[in-house]
Every structure is written in C-alpha cells, then in structure tokens.
Amino acid sequence: MIPCVIGRSVLSAVALSFLVGCSPSKAPTASPPKAAASGLLEDVYPSSGISFTLKQTKSPLSILQTIGHGVGIIDFDEDGLYDVILAGHDKIAAYKNLGDMKFADVTAKSGLKAKGFWGGPAVGDIDNDGHDDLYISGYDCVALYRGNGKGAFEDITSRSGLEVKPIYSGKCPEWRSSAGFVDYDRDGWLDLYVCRYAEFGPSTPNLCGGANSTIQYSCSPDVYEPQRGSLYQGAGNGKFVDRTKALGLHTSGGRSLGVAFGDYNDDGLVDIAVANDGRAGDLFTNHGKAGFKNDGVRSGTAFNAYGHVHGGMGIDWGDYNADGKLDLFVTTYQNEAKCLYRNLGKGVFTDGGLDAGLAERMDRWVSFGAKFVDFNRDGKEDLIVTSGHVIDNTAAIYPGTVYKQPVQVFYNKGGAFDEVTDRLAPSARRLAVGRGLATVDLDNDGLQDAIVTDHDGSPMILHNQDTNTNRWISLKLRGTKSGRDAFGARMTVTSSSLNMLRTVSNAGGYMSANDPRQFFGLGDSDAADVGVVWPSGLKQQWNGLKSGRFYTLTEGKSETTSTAPLGAK
C-alpha cells in the first residue's frame, strides 16, 4: 500500500482529516531512548569553552526564522587542529581548537563581521596560497574572507563578484542557503556552488493560518516562488564569475537547501546533487566543456520511490553498500521517506531506504543535516542525521508532533543500517531543533566526532568515545598541478577485506563545511593501499600505508608525510 504523504503545506488538523485517504500524522512524542551504560558519542559542549546559543524569542516563527544556520570546520591558524565557525542571526563566532576538546573564542581578532542573517559556511583555498578561505551564505547578505593562516581573515566580498545583487524580482532579497567549493572544470582553481531558497520579503506572507483556525504558523514553502542556485567560476585571484546559465545549471527546480559533490558515473568529472524543498531534486551531470545536464528525473533521484516530490533538505554522497558506485542520501520532511538512492550504474538510481532499514526509524521526523561517516572504524559508512521541526507550535497543528527532535546514528552492517541512537551518552540524546551538521576528528585521536547546530539552543559537540580496537587511516591530499585542496579527486582505499571509494570534498550535509581529511576505517587491517586519480588526470598509488596515522599525499610525489594521533584509541 502506498503511504499517504502529507507535505509541508500546513493545514489545520480538522481540515486534514477530510483529505481522502489521509489523516494527520500521529507521531509519538519524542523522548530520549533508555540510557546506555556508556555512550558512543558524548556532548561535551558544557566543558568545551564554546559559548554560542541560538534562541528564538517569539512565536510563531516565519519560514525565514526556521531554516537554521550551519557550522564550518577550518584550521584557520594551521596548527593541525581543526577550528570551528558558528553562524546565526547577527552572529558569527570563531573558536580556536586548543586540543583535548577545548576551545577559545577568538572572534574579536578574526576579522569576521557579525551583522547579517547568516546561513552556512563553505571552506576552501580559493587562491592556492596554502591558507584556507571562508565563504558564508545568508539572507540578503554574503561574505567571502581570505585567510592569512594566522587565525585572521580579510573581507574581499566587494571585489569577488559574489556581492548581494537584486537578481530576481527586486522585491525580495537573495536567500542563500548551503554552499560548497568544487573544481568543476579541473583548471586548478576552486569554483563555488551556492543554493538559493525562496522569494521571501515584505510583500510576501509572513505567517499562514487555516481558514477556520485562529492559529498562525510558518507558511509552507510552496507559498513562495523558488529562487535558484548559481555556479560561480573561480579565477584564482579571489574573483568569481556567474556561469550558471552558460553551463546549463539554470534548470534547477529551485528552493534549494543542500548541495553535495560526487563523481557518480566515474568519468573523472565532478557532478552536483542539489536537494530542493517541495520541488524535483537536481542531479547535474558534468559533461566537461559541454556543461551540465540536469538528470534528476532520468536518474530517478528527482522524486521519492512513489514518484512524489519531497521536502529535500540535507544531502550527501557515499558508497554505503561498497559496490564501487557512489550512492546519494537526502533528508526530508515528516511523513516523507528519507531517500537513500542506490546507484545501479549507467546513470540510474533506485530508492533503497526501505531495504536498508532506514524508513521506519526516520520518517516521523523533520530531518536536515545528514552525513556518511565511519564512526566505529569498521570500513563501512555509517549515517548521522539531525532533525527538528520547522513549525515551533507544531503540536497545535499536527497533534502528537514535537518541535525538538533527536539526533540519530545508524551503524552500517554491510548495506543495511541498525539504529544505535540508544547507545549514545545521555548528553548526546538530548532533543534539539537540529539543523547544521559537520563531521570532523576534533581531537586528532582517530575517531570521527560531529558538531550539530541547535536552532533553539546551544550546539552539540559530539565527542566519539567508541572503545573498539578497529584500525583506521586519515588522508589529506595536496594538489600541485591540481588545486591545492584536490577537491574532486577520486580516492580508493583497499585492505585485506575492504574496498572503499570517495570523491574528495568537504561539502555535503546541511549548511556546513566538514573536515577536509578523508577518513577510512580499516577494521582489523594493519595497512591499506591507496589509489588517487587527481583532477589533473594523474594516477598514483601508495601501497602498504600503516594504519593509525594521518597522511599527507602530494600530487606527483611518491613519498608521504605522516603524523601519529593524539591520545589514540
């Protein structure tokens, strides 16, 4: 039986009951699972030194006030420990990583400006000078900062070509959401894809309410005309040119919230997947000089398994079933399947979420951030998902639903997933209005941690405390002919019993930039063979790299540099 899907067009509970074959969702009230004896992830925010809170001070919230804000991972002082950028409304904060899960607020010396309705960071070395740079999206605001490698940034927005412009009706500001750096044309300079959401402004509805109801609430996205994303080509000097229409990317469905980059057809060109809210999803296949073709519909990734559009939000690529082909995960609204598109080859995908054991455990939630990450180092890509409703008074609209919802973790058991949320520490099982999500090894101990932004509270700094003895390897690429970050490189890691695939990127998830190092669990293997196809086309192989170390692999060089972990487990 095809399930009845109630989308984000919000009606009163009374009106919903008259829809043929449909009734309001009766999702159970969220409550933390029973406490485990020890936690796989622990929220160490209270002791971390980070002091950052997003608080919604009035109700009901408009759609602008519900979309959320992200987190950026960047080593802005180049000490080998990854630092944290947090964004909000009139708030940008920079936290220096001191080690041992401790941080210091260095915002005052960073050069980052606070005023603006900020969305999500993107991180990359736009000029190949060896220092990471920072882009931050927002509603009617945008910023591009050049990093100096010493913890400070120079604002170069006004001369970048990315400044705010009235490119739509002129009545509504540009609303940028997720963004990410990618070298789509393999010229060695980073380009930038920026998602845009919807036409929202003084002349559009702020709140909605049912015809027979006095309750007001955040309007459904289909009330607003879509804005569409842009691809900006980088010249390497901090300047960017909009190439969206020339490359065929203007065909996006729009109302875009998430973007992820991956070479899904293994042709050496990075493709772009975009999650759209209540619109057909986009899969832009890269054809080199011929530009991009939107294969969302043809590929099977534009809709869910029942042929419906959904509220696409977070998105990420990963080879979850280890068949050598990149698969795609998209988070959605409540009562909508969270789609796990399995790559069948030849440009075709099928939704494997039900077979993988995800559908029943996730569909009740309004989900945003999502990342494939190997938390237990067994060589299989696990999944972490953040959720939180977009209607702060949802209990009055959808009886039985809640505003704050859980962060969920699923361990990959070889193409199928088991939920292990109840094994997290009690602090990590607190309910939140989950939005942004970044994965990173914050303390360089060989275990992947995560940061979750709470749209109505403090972020969760999730420290991985898994005590298993599985081996691992962490790899950072340094391009020479390719761009310094080597974004778009194809990486394979094999050991005695594992075969893993990755397109190098720090994007994906939701409004966030992740650890640029590529982490691979090795199970019980003591060493791994690593193959890289660089964006320049050069192919290199490193065999017998010992586990338990952080390696830097440089394009054109056979030797490696490596460091041991801090406090390895």
Side-chain angles (χ1 to χ4, degrees):
M1 176 179 179
I2 297 177
C4 177
V5 177
I6 300 173
R8 289 187 58 184
S9 296
V10 183
L11 304 173
S12 69
V14 173
L16 283 170
S17 66
F18 289 100
L19 292 175
V20 177
C22 295
S23 61
S25 169
K26 297 288 186 179
T29 300
S31 58
K34 184 178 179 181
S38 61
L40 301 176
L41 297 175
E42 179 183 3
D43 182 11
V44 298
Y45 172 83
S47 61
S48 68
I50 292 177
S51 179
F52 187 92
T53 302
L54 300 173
K55 189 65 179 175
Q56 311 309 316
T57 57
K58 68 175 186 177
S59 178
L61 303 178
S62 72
I63 192 171
L64 174 63
Q65 296 166 313
T66 67
I67 292 304
H69 312 275
V71 55
I73 301 301
I74 176 173
D75 184 6
F76 52 59
D77 55 1
E78 298 173 17
D79 63 354
L81 292 165
Y82 277 83
D83 311 301
V84 177
I85 304 290
L86 290 167
H89 186 190
D90 289 337
K91 297 175 73 172
I92 292 288
Y95 291 95
K96 173 180 170 55
N97 190 339
L98 304 175
D100 197 27
M101 304 302 289
K102 305 293 183 183
F103 298 82
D105 189 339
V106 295
T107 309
K109 298 180 180 180
S110 69
L112 302 177
K113 61 185 180 183
K115 189 168 181 58
F117 201 100
W118 301 108
V123 174
D125 185 355
I126 61 173
D127 49 11
N128 292 333
D129 67 349
H131 310 312
D132 279 336
D133 308 302
L134 176 67
Y135 171 91
I136 309 179
S137 67
Y139 175 82
D140 200 23
C141 61
V142 64
L144 180 66
Y145 295 98
R146 176 178 281 138
N148 68 359
K150 299 177 182 179
F153 297 89
E154 175 193 3
D155 188 346
I156 60 171
T157 312
S158 62
R159 61 180 187 268
S160 68
L162 302 172
E163 65 273 18
V164 174
K165 298 184 227 178
I167 63 172
Y168 289 97
S169 65
K171 297 178 181 178
C172 298
E174 289 185 60
W175 188 351
R176 301 169 182 82
S177 52
S178 291
F181 286 108
V182 59
D183 184 5
Y184 81 89
D185 53 1
R186 301 183 295 182
D187 67 351
W189 303 112
L190 286 182
D191 314 300
L192 178 68
Y193 189 90
V194 179
C195 296
R196 290 191 185 85
Y197 190 51
E199 288 274 302
F200 179 88
S203 62
T204 62
N206 189 281
L207 296 171
C208 291
N212 299 314
S213 173
T214 59
I215 301 174
Q216 289 189 306
Y217 38 77
S218 171
C219 296
S220 165
D222 58 18
V223 169
Y224 307 99
E225 290 298 313
Q227 293 186 359
R228 292 173 172 83
S230 295
L231 181 62
Y232 298 92
Q233 184 179 44
N237 56 2
K239 295 183 179 180
F240 292 80
V241 176
D242 191 337
R243 297 271 291 157
T244 308
K245 189 171 183 179
L247 293 169
L249 290 148
H250 63 295
T251 61
S252 170
R255 285 206 299 263
S256 306
L257 288 175
V259 61
F261 308 110
D263 181 5
Y264 78 87
N265 55 3
D266 195 22
D267 65 354
L269 298 167
V270 180
D271 311 301
I272 304 174
V274 180
N276 298 324
D277 194 0
R279 311 278 290 183
D282 303 317
L283 180 58
F284 291 111
T285 304
N286 190 340
H287 291 278
K289 293 182 179 180
F292 290 82
K293 181 181 178 182
N294 193 345
D295 287 319
V297 173
R298 186 191 67 83
S299 67
T301 61
F303 310 107
N304 65 21
Y306 308 110
H308 300 141
V309 296
H310 49 217
M313 293 181 245
I315 191 167
D316 200 28
W317 290 102
D319 183 11
Y320 80 94
N321 56 354
D323 65 352
K325 297 185 288 289
L326 289 180
D327 312 298
L328 188 66
F329 183 75
V330 179
T331 59
T332 62
Y333 192 62
Q334 69 185 20
N335 295 335
E336 295 178 342
K338 278 54 178 173
C339 295
L340 180 64
Y341 296 108
R342 180 162 56 90
N343 190 340
L344 302 178
K346 298 183 179 179
V348 177
F349 294 75
T350 186
D351 190 350
L354 183 62
D355 292 340
L358 293 175
E360 293 181 359
R361 296 182 176 94
M362 300 181 65
D363 291 357
R364 71 186 66 171
W365 308 124
V366 180
S367 299
F368 281 84
K371 283 295 294 179
F372 286 107
V373 56
D374 187 356
F375 279 125
N376 60 355
R377 306 185 295 196
D378 65 353
K380 305 178 185 70
E381 293 187 287
D382 308 313
L383 194 61
I384 180 171
V385 177
T386 71
S387 298
H389 219 290
V390 292
I391 303 173
D392 60 307
N393 54 345
T394 181
I397 311 301
Y398 291 122
T401 62
V402 292
Y403 185 40
K404 295 193 173 187
Q405 299 179 359
V407 173
Q408 292 176 283
V409 176
F410 300 86
Y411 272 2
N412 188 340
K413 298 301 181 182
F417 292 86
D418 287 344
E419 185 173 6
V420 294
T421 305
D422 61 352
R423 294 174 59 191
L424 307 184
S427 60
R429 289 181 287 109
R430 72 172 172 91
L431 304 181
V433 186
R435 293 293 187 263
L437 167 67
T439 55
V440 53
D441 185 354
L442 286 169
D443 53 350
N444 287 347
D445 66 350
L447 288 164
Q448 295 295 286
D449 311 302
I451 299 178
V452 173
T453 65
D454 184 346
H455 195 53
D456 194 26
S458 301
M460 303 173 75
I461 313 299
L462 299 178
H463 185 209
N464 190 339
Q465 302 186 102
D466 199 321
T467 58
N468 72 69
T469 59
N470 288 336
R471 277 68 162 179
W472 57 275
I473 193 171
S474 183
L475 305 167
K476 179 184 254 184
L477 299 189
R478 279 289 169 257
T480 53
K481 185 177 180 181
S482 303
R484 172 180 173 266
D485 293 318
F487 287 167
R490 184 181 189 273
M491 179 178 289
T492 56
V493 173
T494 60
S495 65
S496 57
S497 60
L498 297 169
N499 292 277
M500 294 165 282
L501 169 69
R502 199 79 48 84
T503 296
V504 176
S505 173
N506 67 347
Y510 182 75
M511 285 199 190
S512 298
N514 302 275
D515 193 332
R517 299 171 294 186
Q518 304 302 304
F519 177 86
F520 296 87
L522 299 179
D524 59 2
S525 297
D526 291 323
D529 299 335
V530 178
V532 176
V533 181
W534 298 87
S536 66
L538 177 66
K539 297 180 180 180
Q540 286 185 270
Q541 183 77 22
W542 291 266
N543 293 328
L545 297 185
K546 293 182 179 180
S547 64
R549 299 189 70 85
F550 297 89
Y551 288 89
T552 298
L553 309 180
T554 301
E555 185 177 16
K557 295 184 178 180
S558 59
E559 65 271 17
T560 67
T561 59
S562 68
T563 58
L566 302 174
K569 295 180 181 179

